[in-house]
Amino acid sequence: MLRGKTTILAECGSTNTEAADRNRYRHGDAIIAVRQTAGRGQRGHRWESVPGENLTFSLVLEPTFLEAAEQFLLSEAVALAVADTLREYGVEAAIKWTNDIYVGDRKICGILLEHSLEGSHLVRTIAGIGLNINQERFPEWIANPCSLLTETGVRHETTAVFERLYARLAERYGTLESGGARQISDDYNALLYRRGKPARFFLPDRGEVIGTICGAAPDGRLTVAIDGQERSFLFREIEFII
């Protein structure tokens, strides 16, 4: 069961850092920042967002039923919940491995999961989500961004979007908690960006190559067919060229 309190902060550095306070936040709690001054993204990137126009929040999870080796299932479940929510607004999204959310070739949402372990099991996960809602103009250094507004032509109340997204997060987490890992993985692969389509990638040892995504494994490895052979890659071992 995913249920907790929601805290709205006028300003904070990073909601993931705020959510790390175990004395204040427990399973199901969400921390929303109207203005986030030090938002973090994947690969050490910062997350930029115009105050009040987008949805930036962190969700605290205590998935003690999962082993450390199964942590990628949480990435899948969270990404699916975002895609589920966007579909309710008429926007069909894809999941760019590992867990960015794209509409066409443009990024609408970034997700950062940070895990804490005890022994071989997860004890706490903080899922940071930055979803572009009403922003129309973006800094030039941000590559290929979009928002719910640019895709639908309609402005949306961020609180209402959060409530829908939290409900979808609860559903996907519930599926995972009740033993539906296979369904989560199957649904994730069905929405995988560029799956089955030849596309350009960058490999540190070879440079630019043409490959076709076959799918993502339960451990998070991405399988790509290159030169007629399937290869598996971990995070940072292959990059998309968009």
Side-chain angles (χ1 to χ4, degrees), residues 34-112:
V34 176
R35 180 172 186 264
Q36 190 174 217
T37 59
R40 302 198 302 276
Q42 294 187 55
R43 303 174 188 259
H45 296 164
R46 71 182 188 273
W47 179 263
E48 288 284 342
S49 177
V50 174
E53 290 194 354
N54 302 315
L55 181 58
T56 52
F57 74 100
S58 293
L59 175 67
V60 178
L61 301 171
E62 295 176 352
T64 55
F65 60 93
L66 287 176
E67 295 185 1
E70 299 174 308
Q71 62 185 265
F72 187 66
L73 287 166
L74 286 173
S75 290
E76 294 179 324
V78 173
L80 285 168
V82 176
D84 293 342
T85 304
L86 290 172
R87 191 176 301 113
E88 293 186 15
Y89 289 95
V91 176
E92 293 297 325
I95 303 168
K96 176 176 166 288
W97 180 83
T98 53
N99 51 19
D100 285 335
I101 309 300
Y102 270 53
V103 179
D105 289 322
R106 297 194 294 169
K107 182 176 177 178
I108 195 170
C109 178
I111 301 169
L112 175 66

Side-chain angles (χ1 to χ4, degrees), residues 140-185:
E140 291 184 358
W141 62 267
I142 298 180
N144 59 303
C146 68
S147 69
L148 199 53
L149 172 59
T150 64
E151 295 307 305
T152 64
V154 178
R155 298 188 67 86
H156 298 274
E157 172 57 50
T158 57
T159 302
V161 177
F162 168 77
E163 290 173 352
R164 286 197 182 193
L165 177 50
Y166 191 97
R168 301 294 81 74
L169 286 162
E171 289 177 358
R172 289 293 185 174
Y173 188 85
T175 297
L176 194 57
E177 192 172 25
S178 62
R182 179 64 179 271
Q183 179 184 336
I184 293 294
S185 291

Side-chain angles (χ1 to χ4, degrees), residues 1-9 15-16 18-33 56-63 78 124-129 162 166 169-170 173:
M1 175 67 68
L2 189 61
R3 182 181 301 163
K5 69 178 186 294
T6 299
T7 300
I8 301 177
L9 303 175
T15 56
N16 267 32
E18 174 72 16
D21 187 341
R22 298 192 182 206
N23 293 321
R24 297 182 62 189
Y25 305 110
R26 300 305 303 263
H27 181 68
D29 290 347
I31 303 92
I32 302 173
T56 52
F57 74 100
S58 293
L59 175 67
V60 178
L61 301 171
E62 295 176 352
V78 173
R124 188 176 174 93
T125 294
I126 298 173
I129 300 173
F162 168 77
Y166 191 97
L169 286 162
Y173 188 85

